[in-house]
Amino acid sequence: MKEKGFLSAVIGIAVPVGLQSMLQSSFAMVDQLMVGQLGSTAVSAVEVAGRPAFIYSVAVGAMAAIAGIMISQYLGMKDREMADRSLWVNLGAVLALGGLFTAVCLALPGQIVGLYIKDDPAILGAGRDYLTRIVWTYLPMGASSVLAVMIRCMDRAAWPLAAGIASAAVNTGLNYVLIFGRLGFPALGVSGAAIASVVSQLVNLLLILLMFRRVQGKAARRPSLSLGAEGRRQYLAMLLPLLATELLWSLGQNVNTFIYGHLEQGDLAAMSMTGPIQGLFIGALSGVSQAAGILIGKRLGAGEYDQAYREAKKLVWYGLAGSLGLSALLLALRGPYVQLYRVEPGVREAAAGLLAAFAVLAPVKVANMILGGGVVRSGGKTAYIMVIDIVGTWLVGVPLGLITAFVFRLPVVWVYFILSQEELVRLLMTVAVFRRRGWMNSLKTGRAQGGAGS
């Protein structure tokens, strides 16, 4: 593929995916700004009650990544039947996990919310109410995420974007009506935000199902969960390390939430205020990671290893350039953003400091997302990423967070910045794996392509 053709292919995937992620994050930011009008207690309640959804979404992301690896590689081999079977296997796994998360959260809402905060009855009550409603987003969100992977791999990356626009518009409109009690509806506060999320996820799933049916067309086959003996072996070899990676990472993030919830009053709310901006920033460049997974996966499936390596390096440089520009923009706009919240001045100041720290760290985070989350995973050697993430999260990030918070008792901005040095450790390890080329693997042969790289 020539340079111009490669860049066009990257743009064709990265722009719609990035726009969809940014759209979702921008509406999430609007949601949080609406909840933020209710005060820091409401912001904190939504943050802690959203932790199970965060863990589940990370697991869904892992399964969607596996689906993307398998589908893109099989399409590269011109094996449509195995691509379809890969889709159904991952969809079944996502729905089973979603059912489990829903059942646990409905059975133990108070206990789950109470894990993250000091004894605060107001936050506990609001968080419990929010959690028992937001759980109904788990199943539709999981199903639509996996189905969207197939749509993108079939060169229809803009279609899920259209579904995202519609569902996000529904979410924002219902938030305004249900949180504040407009158009004759009662003011439901944070519970209204949860109800709006459920309805919007159902709208998104309905649209994705219609698009999926269209892209399948006459090639549609009866759903099959059979991958064959070798296919099952390869699937489990990819899925289990990646699930372990994402779940352990998300648990590490939950430890961080525990840390922020036990610092000074208002620190958890300040951290929550940065979430939509971080999502907007990372979402803008997540399309490059998705493009890496699909395009490099197809190269590996076709056995074009040298071309895959060269194009992978280009993708990392594209992401780095974009992240530096966005970091500069964030540093300029962080002040006006935090002024939009009706919270205490100290909370605004802490949030502005956290956004500055994130802007400095963001290029490293983006490089990890593209190189580790897109390129290295595309070969299916997910055990590499499992080791890297365990080292980064549990041997670097979590210990640094606990020490800086509870031993040195540093301010929240420094706690966040220091524990986030796990990203630098993770990047150094990922670069070493990338250069050795051991991640280059075709599901067709199961053989890795060795050799040094530069």
Side-chain angles (χ1 to χ4, degrees), residues 113-244:
V113 173
L115 289 174
Y116 299 104
I117 58 173
K118 299 175 183 177
D119 187 16
D120 189 321
I123 296 178
L124 282 170
R128 183 174 56 248
D129 291 343
Y130 183 84
L131 179 56
T132 55
R133 289 170 174 80
I134 202 69
V135 293
W136 300 110
T137 65
Y138 295 174
L139 287 170
M141 183 265 286
S144 59
S145 296
V146 175
L147 292 172
V149 170
M150 174 60 95
I151 296 172
R152 293 189 186 106
C153 287
M154 296 298 292
D155 301 322
R156 299 291 188 274
W159 290 12
L161 170 62
I165 292 173
S167 63
V170 170
N171 186 46
T172 298
L174 287 177
N175 264 319
Y176 177 73
V177 169
L178 298 178
I179 292 175
F180 303 114
R182 305 292 192 242
L183 302 179
F185 285 85
L188 300 176
V190 296
S191 294
I195 295 170
S197 296
V198 173
V199 175
S200 65
Q201 284 292 345
L202 291 172
V203 169
N204 185 61
L205 176 59
L206 176 61
L207 294 174
I208 289 292
L209 284 170
L210 294 173
M211 293 171 181
F212 174 74
R213 184 176 178 83
R214 177 75 179 276
V215 80
Q216 288 289 85
K218 294 180 180 180
R221 298 178 177 86
R222 292 181 61 186
S224 174
L225 300 179
S226 174
L227 295 174
E230 179 64 14
R232 284 196 301 272
R233 185 196 66 80
Q234 291 187 122
Y235 175 63
L236 291 175
M238 290 185 291
L239 178 65
L240 296 179
L242 190 53
L243 270 182

Side-chain angles (χ1 to χ4, degrees), residues 30 116 138 168 179 214 258 330 349 429:
V30 172
Y116 299 104
Y138 295 174
I179 292 175
R214 177 75 179 276
F258 168 84
L330 176 55
E349 182 180 352
M429 296 177 69

Side-chain angles (χ1 to χ4, degrees), residues 64-98:
I66 294 297
I69 293 169
M70 299 174 75
I71 293 169
S72 61
Q73 286 220 18
Y74 286 128
L75 289 177
M77 300 173 201
K78 313 298 183 186
D79 190 343
R80 179 61 186 274
E81 182 177 355
M82 284 301 293
D84 286 344
R85 292 186 179 192
S86 301
L87 169 74
W88 294 117
V89 167
N90 284 285
L91 181 60
V94 161
L95 293 178
L97 186 63

Side-chain angles (χ1 to χ4, degrees), residues 191-316:
S191 294
I195 295 170
S197 296
V198 173
V199 175
S200 65
Q201 284 292 345
L202 291 172
V203 169
N204 185 61
L205 176 59
L206 176 61
L207 294 174
I208 289 292
L209 284 170
L210 294 173
M211 293 171 181
F212 174 74
R213 184 176 178 83
R214 177 75 179 276
V215 80
Q216 288 289 85
K218 294 180 180 180
R221 298 178 177 86
R222 292 181 61 186
S224 174
L225 300 179
S226 174
L227 295 174
E230 179 64 14
R232 284 196 301 272
R233 185 196 66 80
Q234 291 187 122
Y235 175 63
L236 291 175
M238 290 185 291
L239 178 65
L240 296 179
L242 190 53
L243 270 182
T245 299
E246 300 295 2
L247 289 174
L248 287 171
W249 177 80
S250 65
L251 287 173
Q253 297 302 302
N254 277 263
V255 172
N256 293 346
T257 301
F258 168 84
I259 291 171
Y260 303 137
H262 288 75
L263 294 175
E264 296 297 324
Q265 186 175 9
D267 283 347
L268 179 59
M271 197 70 212
S272 302
M273 289 165 58
T274 71
I277 293 294
Q278 292 195 38
L280 192 65
F281 190 114
I282 297 299
L285 297 169
S286 64
V288 183
S289 179
Q290 290 249 2
I294 293 172
L295 297 176
I296 303 303
K298 288 183 178 180
R299 288 292 191 194
L300 297 178
E304 299 169 351
Y305 300 105
D306 289 338
Q307 187 74 358
Y309 187 79
R310 289 193 296 270
E311 291 178 354
K313 290 195 290 186
K314 293 177 184 177
L315 287 161
V316 174

